[in-house]
Each structure stands twice: as structure tokens, then as C-alpha cells.
Amino acid sequence: MNGSRINRFFPYLLLLPSFLILLPFLYWPTLQSFIMSVYREAPFGARKFFCGAYNYVNILSDPAYLNSLWRTLLFTALVTGVGLAISLLCAVMLNQKVRGAKLYRTFFFIPYAISPAVAASLWVFLLNPVAGFVNYLLYSLFHIQPPWLTDGFLAFVAVSMASIWKDTGFNILFYLAGLQTIPESVIEAGKIDGASPVQRFFKITVPLLSPTTFYLVVMNLIFAIFENFGIIDIMTAGGPANATNFLIYNLYRDVFINFRPGAAAAQSVILFVLIIGVTIAHFKYNGENVHYQ
């Protein structure tokens, strides 16, 4: 009887140290955000009063916030979809048995190892309208010099390119590991059956990589929504004309520029619900297409 009770609580006992570490750094701030979101608060907490759902109603009826929401969804879909497609293509090429393959793989992983601020600074130099290499190349070939960071549409494209480039190394690393777990005998069986390289890729390789893709979709959603603040801040600061004012940057502005902590807390809760909802939907509707060996 006593042994059975100890066995029942033993897993919780093992989890207790992790919970105690996460409590002050993760769970308590999250709870504080929920609490702050139902208060209107003066800057630096000098004065506050309970306002119920006012912050949520005010935010969700603000056209500027809804515009930022749609831009964020488009940005997230673009960065996740295009980023994973490019990463898979690069991983397939890097998985070939050629001399110096390990060196090439290291080069592709470097962007993930640098900070978002450094990555953004590199792209600002590359896209400089006067001295940037990209505009130099475009002018040499087509006699055009696009205003990458001062035009709304091009700024959106530029931030998307920088974000995809930054996360590509992470995706390639996982895709390479997944490709190397595919048994050679399965590929050989496809060849014997007369499947072309394209058919082997889409009928064998892609389905066997579905667990890796499933994981990377979730991680890239989180990267696109939460971890591109540094790139946005350095490259465009949310502009021009709010073209790159995504949800995470809008939240930053409300806290540190507009001094509206209650509204910012409500936005953080909306972001939390958004990412949880997308992740649950991804597990529910795409989980059936994941094939484990």
C-alpha cells in the first residue's frame, strides 16, 4: 500500500526541481501578464484600477492592431512555409556524399549561431540603397535600385528574407539529421521499382521526414512570432508606415513608448492564446499525416 503510494507520487517528486526553477522565471510572469491585462495602469505602476475586459475590447476594435495582426499572420506563414521549403532543399543537397561536406554544413549553420541584431545589421548593409551589394548587383544587371527599407512592401519582403535566412541553419540541421535516419534500403527499393528521383523524394523522403517537419513547423511558428524582434527593430523599427509593425513590436511600443502596460499585457495574452491555438490546430489536423518509422 505504502509502496504503491510512493510510486504514484515519485514522478511528481522528480519534476519538482524543474517546476521550482521555472516558477519565478516563467509561470509567475505569465500569471502577472494575465492579471495586468484586466487593469488600466499608469506608467511605472504608480496607479492602477480594475477595468475588466476593457483592454481586450479596446485592442480588438483598433484597426491598427487588427492590421498588425493580419501582417503578422502573413509574415508567419511566409517565413515558416518558404523557410522550411528552402531548408529542406538545402539539406538534401548537403546530404550528398561530396568532399568537404562537413565544411559546407558548418557554413549553412552559421546564421543561426549569430544574434538577431547582428543578422539584421548584416542585411541592412547588404540592402543599403547606395553601397549595398544587393542593389549593386541589381543595378549592374537590370539598372534598378529598389528602396528596400523605405518602401512598405519591400520592407516587409526584406524583413521576411532576413528572418528566413536567420532560421535556415536551425531547420537544415534537423532535416539533415532526419535524412540520415532514412534507411538506404528503402531508397534502393524505390529505384528497383522504377521510381524517378522526384518520385522518390515526394513519395519516400518527404513522408519519412514528416516527424521532423511536424516539429519544425511548431518551432518556426514560435520563431516567427516571438523571436524576430531584434531583426525588426534594427532593420525598420516597425516602419515604414507600420508595414513591419508585427504583434511583438506593437507590444514593445505600447509598453516602452506609449506607456500602456495594461494594453501591452492584454496583447501578450492574445499572442499566447494565438500560438497555443495554432499549435493545437497543427497537432489536430496535421498530426495524422505524420509517419513514424
Side-chain angles (χ1 to χ4, degrees):
M1 179 71 179
N2 289 337
S4 173
R5 184 174 298 175
I6 291 173
N7 289 336
R8 188 191 306 170
F9 290 104
F10 189 65
Y12 299 103
L13 193 63
L14 293 177
L15 289 173
L16 186 60
S18 300
F19 177 76
L20 291 176
I21 293 172
L22 290 174
L23 180 64
F25 300 109
L26 181 63
Y27 301 134
W28 181 247
T30 303
L31 180 63
Q32 280 293 309
S33 294
F34 277 96
I35 295 172
M36 283 177 64
S37 70
V38 293
Y39 281 88
R40 293 192 70 183
E41 188 172 335
F44 312 112
R47 185 175 166 222
K48 68 177 182 180
F49 60 90
F50 181 76
C51 64
Y54 171 82
N55 287 325
Y56 293 99
V57 174
N58 194 34
I59 288 170
L60 294 175
S61 60
D62 182 3
Y65 182 79
L66 295 178
N67 190 30
S68 175
L69 174 63
W70 289 118
R71 286 180 189 278
T72 303
L73 293 177
L74 178 61
F75 172 77
T76 303
L78 184 68
V79 169
T80 303
V82 176
L84 288 182
I86 293 174
S87 301
L88 178 57
L89 185 63
C90 292
V92 170
M93 291 191 292
L94 289 170
N95 196 41
Q96 305 303 313
K97 294 176 182 174
V98 296
R99 182 177 294 179
K102 290 183 179 178
L103 187 63
Y104 300 142
R105 293 169 188 170
T106 304
F107 286 144
F108 275 83
F109 183 70
I110 285 174
Y112 184 69
I114 63 178
S115 73
V118 174
S121 300
L122 289 173
W123 277 91
V124 168
F125 285 124
L126 283 172
L127 300 176
N128 186 289
V130 178
F133 176 76
V134 174
N135 269 15
Y136 170 77
L137 191 64
L138 290 174
Y139 186 78
S140 301
L141 296 174
F142 308 109
H143 294 284
I144 57 172
Q145 288 183 309
W148 288 102
L149 301 179
T150 54
D151 177 84
F153 174 74
L154 292 178
F156 184 93
V157 173
V159 171
S160 301
M161 287 194 301
S163 301
I164 290 170
W165 178 79
K166 175 74 180 65
D167 297 334
T168 296
F170 178 85
N171 298 331
I172 288 175
L173 194 67
F174 278 86
Y175 271 135
L176 264 176
L179 285 168
Q180 290 170 5
T181 62
I182 296 176
E184 194 65 31
S185 58
V186 178
I187 304 296
E188 290 298 327
K191 289 180 183 176
I192 294 171
D193 287 342
S196 67
V198 175
Q199 288 174 321
R200 292 199 297 272
F201 177 74
F202 284 105
K203 300 291 184 182
I204 298 175
T205 304
V206 171
L208 290 178
L209 283 176
S210 56
T212 306
T213 304
F214 189 76
Y215 167 75
L216 288 177
V217 167
V218 175
M219 293 305 298
N220 277 256
L221 287 174
I222 295 171
F223 289 160
I225 293 176
F226 291 106
E227 300 205 354
N228 284 309
F229 174 83
I231 290 176
I232 299 166
D233 192 46
I234 297 290
M235 291 185 70
T236 62
N242 291 330
T244 56
N245 186 36
F246 303 131
L247 290 183
I248 192 67
Y249 202 78
N250 196 65
L251 190 157
Y252 159 76
R253 280 177 162 175
D254 267 345
V255 176
F256 296 105
I257 298 176
N258 300 327
F259 296 112
R260 298 196 306 162
Q267 291 179 48
S268 70
V269 173
I270 292 172
L271 268 176
F272 176 78
V273 172
L274 180 68
I275 195 69
I276 292 293
V278 171
T279 304
I280 291 173
H282 181 56
F283 269 80
K284 184 175 181 180
Y285 296 109
N286 294 330
E288 297 174 356
N289 297 321
V290 177
H291 305 282
Y292 294 96
Q293 296 180 45

